[in-house]
Amino acid sequence: MKIQGFGMKILVNRDNMSVRKKIINISIVISVLLFFSGTTTAYTLPVETLDTVVLQLKWKHQFQFAGYYAAIEKGYYRDAGLFVKIYEAKTGDEVIPAVLNGSADFGVATSDLLLVRNSGFPVVLLANIFQHSPHVFLTLRHNKGDNIHDLSGKSIMLEKHADELLAYLTMEGINIDDINFIPHTFSPNDLISEDVFAISAYITDEPFILGDQGISYNVFNPRSSGIDFYGDVLFTSEYESKKHPERVKKFLNASLKGWEYALKNEEEIVDLILSTYSKRHTKEHLLYEANQTKRLIMPSVVEIGYINQNRWQRIGEIYSELNMLPTEFTTDGFFYDRNPKPDLSSLYFTILISVLALFLISFVAFHFYRLNKKLKIESADKELREDQLKLLEERYRNLAKYVPVPIFITKATGEILYMNKIASEKFEINEEYAIGKNAIDLYVFPSDRESTVNKIVTHGYIKESEVLMKSTSGVEFWAIISSNIVVFDNNNAFFSAVIDVSEVKLLNDRLEKANAFKDRLFSIISHDLKGPIGTLNSFLDILVKNERGLSNDKQQEILSKLQDSSNTTYELLENLLLWTLKQKDKIV
């Protein structure tokens, strides 16, 4: 679950993949030559032996690593030519050193892998398995610790590699130097016995233990303050990724396939864990863990293992704010390229053989050309029309692809048919993976999507409709959406453009508040000026009408009151002047 560990590694040499590619390319060319010469020969590739690799877990066997167990059980690794050994962690061990020193080929770590890379250690991120971190704080409900600020000055049991929790406290304005952090025993008993006020925990694990004992608890999740780190990530060393690129690619693809199977067949994998790996947890505990794990991986929203480089950049910025990374940190070389540029070392040799074959093929092709020339002329007009249609479709696709606003095309049912790059970045979802998913998941309120569809069906379009939308990571924003009915890939579809107006809406709200304040201020000023001005008018009227009928004492009394009223009015005007200068920032 938490502590990363060492493992053992068994190295087995394998064939050089570039040489095998060269042999395959040559065999294809030879087959072409033999075909045209009328000769046939049998060709058989060498039999591959299984390659042994080691995967080092960061905790004990449980559903947290279900995808790797499924990949072994269903034969995905074996089909990829791999024999995978899985080592669980030992207390006090670290998984990253195990991969770097060669004791293991692959490992499971957390978001602090970025810290390791920027410290000069050559680790390479393969996949983000958990799209959200499971780390949370737990407190007992009867202690009235129902606010994150109640943790200030308390004793907290904190595990290693839980940096997002420290960022959470800092973001909430809590001084972590005032907290008594205690090493973790990885048991909620210290919380139950109230030896500590709070513990760090996995949302997939400890809450089940507390709930099973009937103990009420509070959960404090860093995501509530915008701290959204990744959870378990799969990684390897730079040496492994460069020395054995095909092996890394096969291991990654088989692992992701295993995770896909495990999340669709939770109970089967739970039974596999109990029968083969560990009976440390009950079946009910493992099923609870499976349900919570699925929420963190989000397979229905995001492609399993999806890497959002912008989100990693934000995680790095948070580390910088915690003084754990320099301001100018780098992610160069940190991300694994699943589709690297091919090794061209064998290309020149293949070209030479291909040129020889080309002469033979050209001779045959010339005869085919003469025989089909008439047919081509007859079909030229048809092909021209098809080419024009393809060109027109390509222009429309390029227009949608490069227009500087998010664009997506959906069926009336919500199924996404197309999404441009800007929309992919805005909604934090891979363009290819988005195809086939339902656009209703991009709306905060599903009823907004239904209302939009009804308007389009009724009027044929909508223009500048304001809705509240969200990205796949849960970031909400106000948007103006305009849609038209189009034909896309022979389907009636909705062509929708989205513009983020969150900042405009915020400015409008501020303007409304400013106008309300202005109206209230003018009302108060009018009221406060009306009293003293009215008093002045009344006393002046008495003095004018009774100039000779008033005694000196009475006149002095009236003049005294007139002076008081005048002083009050002058003081009010002075206060208004000071307030005006303050609004202009001219008071030091």
Side-chain angles (χ1 to χ4, degrees), residues 243-424:
K243 186 70 174 179
H244 305 290
E246 286 298 319
R247 181 163 74 183
V248 172
K249 185 174 183 179
K250 289 179 179 179
F251 178 86
L252 174 59
N253 291 338
S255 298
L256 297 179
K257 190 175 181 182
W259 270 112
E260 182 178 2
Y261 184 89
L263 296 177
K264 291 179 180 178
N265 302 273
E266 294 121 298
E267 190 162 354
E268 176 186 341
I269 302 304
V270 165
D271 291 336
L272 172 66
I273 293 172
L274 291 171
S275 64
T276 306
Y277 293 93
S278 174
K279 292 182 173 61
R280 189 166 56 89
H281 290 323
T282 64
K283 183 173 183 178
E284 291 73 20
H285 192 154
L286 290 174
L287 288 173
Y288 171 87
E289 184 186 10
N291 182 56
Q292 294 297 320
T293 297
K294 195 170 186 177
R295 293 183 179 182
L296 297 175
I297 296 177
M298 303 171 60
S300 62
V301 178
V302 152
E303 178 185 9
I304 297 175
Y306 174 64
I307 295 176
N308 186 327
Q309 296 189 17
N310 291 332
R311 192 169 157 202
W312 272 105
Q313 182 71 22
R314 175 55 186 151
I315 291 173
E317 292 170 358
I318 293 174
Y319 275 128
S320 294
E321 294 170 6
L322 293 173
N323 296 320
M324 301 175 71
L325 269 183
T327 304
E328 300 296 328
F329 65 90
T330 180
T331 59
D332 292 342
F334 179 62
F335 303 109
Y336 170 70
D337 187 1
R338 296 180 65 176
N339 298 294
K341 294 181 180 179
D343 181 7
L344 301 180
S345 60
S346 62
L347 179 61
Y348 301 111
F349 180 82
T350 304
I351 291 177
L352 177 61
I353 301 299
S354 299
V355 168
L356 296 177
L358 183 62
F359 283 111
L360 293 176
I361 295 172
S362 298
F363 177 78
V364 176
F366 175 75
H367 290 282
F368 276 106
Y369 167 77
R370 295 182 63 183
L371 293 173
N372 290 289
K373 184 176 181 180
K374 184 178 180 180
L375 180 61
K376 288 183 178 180
I377 294 174
E378 293 175 350
S379 63
D381 291 340
K382 180 181 178 181
E383 290 179 354
L384 179 60
R385 288 193 296 271
E386 291 177 351
D387 289 341
Q388 290 174 339
L389 289 174
K390 289 179 180 179
L391 179 60
L392 184 60
E393 182 179 356
E394 184 65 22
R395 288 177 178 175
Y396 283 129
R397 289 182 180 270
N398 287 335
L399 176 63
K401 180 177 181 181
Y402 295 109
V403 69
V405 295
I407 298 292
F408 59 90
I409 301 175
T410 64
K411 292 183 178 179
T413 58
E415 179 183 352
I416 297 176
L417 300 176
Y418 172 81
M419 177 178 287
N420 69 358
K421 185 177 180 180
I422 293 181
S424 171

Side-chain angles (χ1 to χ4, degrees), residues 170-226:
T170 302
M171 188 67 68
E172 288 291 337
I174 299 173
N175 188 350
I176 59 178
D177 293 333
D178 294 337
I179 296 177
N180 180 27
F181 290 113
I182 299 172
H184 216 297
T185 61
F186 305 108
S187 170
N189 291 334
D190 296 88
L191 178 65
I192 297 172
S193 63
E194 298 187 22
D195 291 336
V196 293
F197 184 81
I199 64 172
S200 64
Y202 262 38
I203 195 65
T204 59
D205 196 353
E206 284 87 351
F208 175 84
I209 299 174
L210 296 176
D212 192 46
Q213 298 183 32
I215 299 173
S216 298
Y217 56 89
N218 298 307
V219 177
F220 300 101
N221 196 317
R223 277 191 281 166
S224 64
S225 290

Side-chain angles (χ1 to χ4, degrees), residues 517-533:
F517 175 78
K518 176 205 68 177
D519 294 338
R520 183 181 177 189
L521 178 62
F522 285 170
S523 176
I524 293 172
I525 293 172
S526 299
H527 178 271
D528 288 351
L529 284 175
K530 183 178 181 181
I533 295 299

